[in-house]
Amino acid sequence: MTRLLALSLLLFFPMSGVATAQDAQPGPEPEAPQAEAPMTIDVMANIVVALDPEAVISPRGIGLTIENVPVTIIMDLRANRMRILVPIASAAGLDDEDLMRMMQANFDTALDARYAVANGRLWSVYIHPFAQLERAQFVSGLAQTVTLARTYGSTYASGGAVFGGGDSGALLQELLEKSEEI
């Protein structure tokens, strides 16, 4: 199983037992979860190095590779912002159909990552306030951003979930039906 898939599975399907009737019985109040310490460059660097021991870390950014996909993380601590960026392709070749499909995906299948265009390039991006970023959100953001870049041109999805009410559900069904014909 790939590292990215394993991370995604742990985030979306945490290991837990099956609920039983006994679980529904009233009991003592559970303890409130401990708030995580604010994100720091050191905490982020430890997570990144666990994913890519060859990551390049500086005070304003991190460069790493996840499953042969180059990832750049930019941090602006004064503005309390963080961006995960994955280059996809030149924006020069994008047509109206491509742009429409990406905007549809940004509504329902891109989840927390997004398609964006900047400096003549198409990107997959995840943007979050730095200090409020929790470990699980950061790892999820990495997985979603890489997955969104890898699914450009096919499912345009950052994971397995689809937010209802958009256009992608029907488009994904059409893609599934076409693949069954092959």
Side-chain angles (χ1 to χ4, degrees):
M1 182 179 322
T2 66
R3 226 180 328 176
L4 182 62
L5 178 59
L7 286 171
S8 298
L9 290 174
L10 286 174
L11 286 169
F12 295 108
F13 303 104
M15 307 224 346
S16 62
V18 176
T20 65
Q22 184 178 15
D23 294 333
Q25 300 298 322
E29 287 291 318
E31 291 183 30
Q34 295 287 335
E36 283 190 26
M39 182 60 71
T40 66
I41 292 174
D42 288 340
V43 169
M44 185 175 282
N46 288 335
I47 295 167
V48 166
V49 169
L51 296 171
D52 179 5
E54 297 178 15
V56 177
I57 300 168
S58 73
R60 292 204 19 105
I62 299 173
L64 71 149
T65 302
I66 299 176
E67 297 190 7
N68 298 318
V69 176
V71 178
T72 301
I73 302 166
I74 299 172
M75 301 155 300
D76 184 342
L77 301 183
R78 280 185 265 149
N80 192 31
R81 302 305 293 171
M82 182 276 320
R83 288 178 188 230
I84 300 171
L85 308 162
V86 174
I88 300 173
S90 169
L94 297 176
D95 61 21
D96 289 346
E97 188 177 326
D98 291 326
L99 293 170
M100 176 62 83
R101 184 64 194 102
M102 286 185 291
M103 291 300 98
Q104 291 168 323
N106 279 350
F107 184 83
D108 55 16
T109 57
L111 304 179
D112 300 322
R114 293 285 179 264
Y115 289 109
V117 174
N119 299 316
R121 178 156 287 291
L122 173 61
W123 301 88
S124 172
V125 300
Y126 175 84
I127 302 167
H128 199 283
F130 185 81
Q132 292 77 19
L133 184 64
E134 295 179 358
R135 287 174 188 261
Q137 290 172 317
F138 177 60
V139 173
S140 175
L142 282 168
Q144 287 186 51
T145 307
V146 169
T147 302
L148 191 64
R150 292 177 82 180
T151 61
Y152 171 74
S154 59
T155 61
Y156 297 83
S158 65
V162 174
F163 184 81
D167 300 322
S168 294
L171 295 169
L172 291 172
Q173 183 62 37
E174 286 177 30
L175 183 62
L176 178 62
E177 289 169 6
K178 285 181 185 176
S179 71
E180 290 174 351
E181 293 172 6
I182 297 174

